[in-house]
Amino acid sequence: MLLTDLRTIFERDPAARNWLEVLFCYPGLQALVFHRLAHWLYKIGIPFIPRLISHISRFLTGIEIHPGALIGQGVFIDHGMGVVIGETAIVGDYALIYQGVTLGGTGKESGKRHPTLGSHVVVGAGAKVLGNIQIGDRVRIGAGSVVLRDVPSNTTVVGIPGRVTRQNNSSTNVLDHDKVRDVEAEVIRALFERVKALEKQFEELQQSSLSPTELDDEPTDNPKSNNSDGIIEDFLDGAGI
């Protein structure tokens, strides 16, 4: 399993140059090595020691994985600082997890209370996946998203709360997690365009009801309105839409 983890790192990280560097300088790999030992001791019922190993691993790597969590093969925790994986979490094979990710619970409920990730899942930096929910295979979760509900396979999820923005992920490159839509900005853009259309219709109706003398007295431009439109346009342009 260690060889599989090493091979996955070389496949996914262009900065990985040799196995010695990866073995000694990649905290994600080190955290997994600690976890596999702690998980084995946890499964055979050894008290205290598994949690102590987990605590030492967190001190050395900045990654906290409860000994009870199930981690598949080929999982890559990239950078990893601040990653937290709860006791009943399940991470499928070849998942890719970035820094600041939390696979946590939503309260003090007992039993299965942490998420289950399928295989080839990508969880972007700072994303929070909370509760006993199912994340399907080949799902991409955008950076900073908060996922609270089940997610079907082959989809992309972004936002707070997380929303499915694309079905049937077609790209075979698992690292294309940056190619996600900003659905909130798209909705704002749609509302903005709708308001402009309604304003234009209102102006046309208003002009059609005025006499020629009143039309000459009407201002042809509204600097305040134009300034507001410019501010909104700048905001939407900054969102890349």
Side-chain angles (χ1 to χ4, degrees):
M1 192 168 286
L2 177 61
L3 291 176
T4 302
D5 294 339
L6 280 168
R7 185 164 54 249
T8 302
I9 291 174
F10 280 108
E11 290 174 353
R12 294 184 173 181
D13 188 358
R17 293 178 176 83
N18 59 74
W19 68 268
L20 197 63
E21 179 181 288
V22 171
L23 196 60
F24 286 96
C25 302
Y26 275 59
L29 177 64
Q30 296 165 354
L32 288 176
V33 171
F34 278 112
H35 171 72
R36 299 201 194 284
L37 173 60
H39 181 67
W40 177 72
L41 295 174
Y42 182 87
K43 283 178 62 179
I44 64 177
I46 302 296
F48 178 67
I49 301 299
R51 290 301 301 270
L52 178 61
I53 294 173
S54 174
H55 184 71
I56 294 171
S57 174
R58 183 180 69 169
F59 176 78
L60 295 175
T61 66
I63 300 169
E64 180 176 349
I65 308 176
H66 192 283
L70 294 175
I71 309 293
Q73 66 176 351
V75 173
F76 180 23
I77 302 177
D78 197 3
H79 300 290
M81 180 61 69
V83 167
V84 177
I85 301 177
E87 179 182 12
T88 61
I90 300 174
V91 180
D93 296 339
Y94 303 102
L96 175 58
I97 299 174
Y98 284 86
Q99 66 272 15
V101 166
T102 299
L103 305 181
T106 56
K108 293 186 177 181
E109 67 273 16
S110 58
K112 183 73 168 73
R113 59 190 186 278
H114 298 104
T116 297
L117 273 60
S119 61
H120 299 278
V121 171
V122 178
V123 188
K128 314 300 177 186
V129 187
L130 306 176
N132 181 20
I133 59 177
Q134 302 287 326
I135 308 298
D137 298 336
R138 294 172 296 280
V139 168
R140 294 174 185 165
I141 299 175
S145 301
V146 178
V147 183
L148 303 172
R149 295 184 294 180
D150 293 348
V151 179
S153 298
N154 302 302
T155 55
T156 297
V157 180
V158 298
I160 303 174
R163 298 178 177 86
V164 174
T165 63
R166 184 171 67 184
Q167 302 279 354
N168 299 321
N169 288 329
S170 57
S171 175
T172 57
N173 184 3
V174 73
L175 294 176
D176 285 341
H177 59 278
D178 58 318
K179 297 179 180 178
V180 295
R181 294 165 51 200
D182 188 340
V183 289
E184 294 180 0
E186 289 179 2
V187 169
I188 294 173
R189 165 68 76 179
L191 291 173
F192 176 55
E193 295 297 335
R194 180 60 176 162
V195 168
K196 288 200 300 183
L198 290 173
E199 287 179 342
K200 184 177 180 181
Q201 292 178 10
F202 176 76
E203 289 175 359
E204 291 174 351
L205 290 172
Q206 190 178 40
Q207 290 176 1
S208 64
S209 64
L210 294 175
S211 65
T213 305
E214 290 174 323
L215 281 173
D216 292 337
D217 295 336
E218 279 291 309
T220 57
D221 200 3
N222 188 340
K224 185 175 181 181
S225 175
N226 290 340
N227 184 53
S228 298
D229 289 351
I231 292 173
I232 295 173
E233 290 284 1
D234 289 342
F235 169 78
L236 294 173
D237 290 340
I241 63 171

